[in-house]
Amino acid sequence: MSTLATEATAPTAVVTPVVGSSTQSQTTSSQLVSFRLADEEYGIEITKVQEIILLGEVTRIPQSPVFIKGLINLRSTVIPIVDLRLRFGLPEQAKTDEARIMVVNVRGKTIGLIVDAVSEVLRILAEQIAPPPPTIAGLGRDYLTGLVKLEKRLLILLDVDKLLDEAALAAA
């Protein structure tokens, strides 16, 4: 007989939020946690990330949306787990050693987001963020805050509060 939730593995990293603004200049900076999903790199404000843990066993929930993978027991708190690949309509991937759960706070709820790998913490300046192009249409535009221009690459900046609509949050 299975239990409702499975104890999560020990956290691999605890993220300490640092709200950044440069005191050296008038330029505003912020910090992002970057992660990979398929072939793209994404970022979420560090203030939204509670911690990053290894991907362990997830207890499935019957009749939940396909992107809700189930529940985990995180130090006596049961939290829903969302597979971002499935949320974005990408093909599901088998569990890898690099896969992680980013525990984030979304509109007062704590949820876990399965990502392919967590890359790094970046400090960026406000002028590095470009708005999403107007040609991007559909649901994806709703949760895009912008594109971060890095030296040789672009990072997709997500608004984690808009990532799950009300129905998805209620199901989670």
Side-chain angles (χ1 to χ4, degrees):
M1 181 171 186
S2 67
T3 59
L4 178 60
T6 305
E7 187 71 31
T9 57
T12 57
V14 175
V15 178
T16 304
V18 177
V19 177
S21 69
S22 175
T23 56
Q24 303 293 321
S25 69
Q26 297 297 321
T27 306
T28 303
S29 68
S30 60
Q31 289 187 314
L32 305 175
V33 177
S34 69
F35 61 94
R36 278 189 309 103
L37 211 54
D39 294 328
E40 303 301 332
E41 191 174 16
Y42 296 83
I44 294 177
E45 281 184 50
I46 198 169
T47 56
K48 300 288 186 183
V49 180
Q50 180 179 316
E51 62 186 287
I52 299 163
I53 61 176
L54 293 171
L55 178 58
E57 291 297 318
V58 177
T59 302
R60 298 219 177 247
I61 309 169
Q63 299 184 340
S64 60
V66 68
F67 57 88
I68 304 288
K69 296 304 286 183
L71 302 169
I72 65 167
N73 182 355
L74 181 64
R75 294 184 298 281
S76 300
T77 301
V78 177
I79 64 170
I81 302 299
V82 173
D83 188 327
L84 270 189
R85 276 181 162 267
L86 300 179
R87 176 68 180 110
F88 291 167
L90 299 169
E92 192 168 6
Q93 176 177 299
K95 181 180 167 183
T96 67
D97 290 341
E98 292 184 323
R100 297 288 185 267
I101 294 175
M102 294 177 63
V103 180
V104 297
N105 298 307
V106 178
R107 290 184 263 161
K109 283 190 167 187
T110 301
I111 63 171
L113 303 175
I114 298 175
V115 299
D116 292 352
V118 175
S119 306
E120 60 187 321
V121 175
L122 299 167
R123 181 175 292 275
I124 60 163
L125 301 174
E127 53 265 19
Q128 288 179 276
I129 303 173
T135 52
I136 295 178
L139 290 175
R141 184 174 170 81
D142 294 341
Y143 43 78
L144 287 184
T145 299
L147 299 168
V148 179
K149 297 176 278 186
L150 302 173
E151 276 188 39
K152 294 182 179 178
R153 63 189 204 268
L154 286 176
L155 184 141
I156 301 166
L157 185 57
L158 297 177
D159 183 342
V160 73
D161 288 324
K162 295 180 181 173
L163 204 55
L164 301 176
D165 58 21
E166 294 299 325
L169 262 179

